[in-house]
Amino acid sequence: MIDRVLSLSVALLLLAAASIADAADCTDPPAPKVDWQRCSLDRRDLQGQDLSQGHLVDASFERADLSGAKLNGVSAQHAKFISAQMTKAVLDGGNFAEADFTKTNLEGASLKDADLRRAHFFRANLRGADLSGARTVGADMLNADLSGALWTDGKRVCAPGSLGQCE
């Protein structure tokens, strides 16, 4: 019985050590393939940084400046970009399912082929953004400014004054 308890204890310790080794290091510098899962990066200046292929699941970037940043191919499900500056950022092919872009400035951003299912864009600025090929099923675009945005079909440009839907 003691051997069984000892073996189980050792196994649990090894499992815990492996989990700690795999945990995100929120102090890592910005770089491609960075692992910032569940990190708080609020108000961080990340202008022009290359975070492509990064792991940003459940991370928070509230009021951060990601203008011109490269977030192509990232995994950012449930991430929070509330009131962030993301002008001309590249989010192509990224997974942003259920991410929150409330009041985010995405003017001129590229979201080609991005997974935006059930993402929140309440009062977001998507003027001139490229949404071609993006998956937007269930996305909340209430009062989002889509003026001049290239719509998901890659053909239609939203009319000036398009709020909440591409007209």
Side-chain angles (χ1 to χ4, degrees):
M1 178 71 172
I2 293 175
D3 288 339
R4 179 180 258 175
V5 170
L6 184 61
S7 295
L8 183 58
S9 297
V10 169
L12 287 173
L13 283 172
L14 289 174
L15 183 61
S19 294
I20 290 169
D22 289 343
D25 186 350
C26 299
T27 62
D28 282 349
K33 298 185 180 179
V34 69
D35 184 357
W36 282 344
Q37 179 174 335
R38 291 189 290 278
C39 293
S40 177
L41 300 147
D42 298 342
R43 300 181 187 273
R44 184 81 57 97
D45 183 357
L46 298 165
Q47 289 183 65
Q49 295 294 328
D50 187 353
L51 307 174
S52 53
Q53 306 297 317
H55 193 66
L56 312 176
V57 175
D58 292 315
S60 179
F61 296 90
E62 290 187 39
R63 299 186 188 278
D65 191 346
L66 292 144
S67 301
K70 295 179 179 82
L71 290 101
N72 42 311
V74 300
S75 295
Q77 302 91 315
H78 306 279
K80 290 180 177 35
F81 298 94
I82 299 167
S83 297
Q85 290 297 319
M86 299 181 77
T87 55
K88 297 188 178 168
V90 178
L91 291 79
D92 297 349
N95 185 345
F96 297 92
E98 299 182 19
D100 193 345
F101 294 95
T102 297
K103 297 182 182 178
T104 298
N105 185 357
L106 289 150
E107 187 167 0
S110 180
L111 297 103
K112 295 178 194 171
D113 301 314
D115 185 348
L116 305 174
R117 291 174 296 162
R118 296 176 307 284
H120 302 280
F121 291 94
F122 175 70
R123 294 183 56 195
N125 178 359
L126 289 156
R127 288 176 163 263
D130 186 346
L131 296 160
S132 55
R135 294 179 302 282
T136 59
V137 173
D140 173 12
M141 297 210 177
L142 183 65
N143 292 324
D145 187 349
L146 296 162
S147 301
L150 181 59
W151 195 238
T152 59
D153 61 8
K155 297 176 184 171
R156 185 169 39 143
V157 175
C158 303
S162 293
L163 289 178
Q165 62 185 2
C166 186
E167 295 178 20

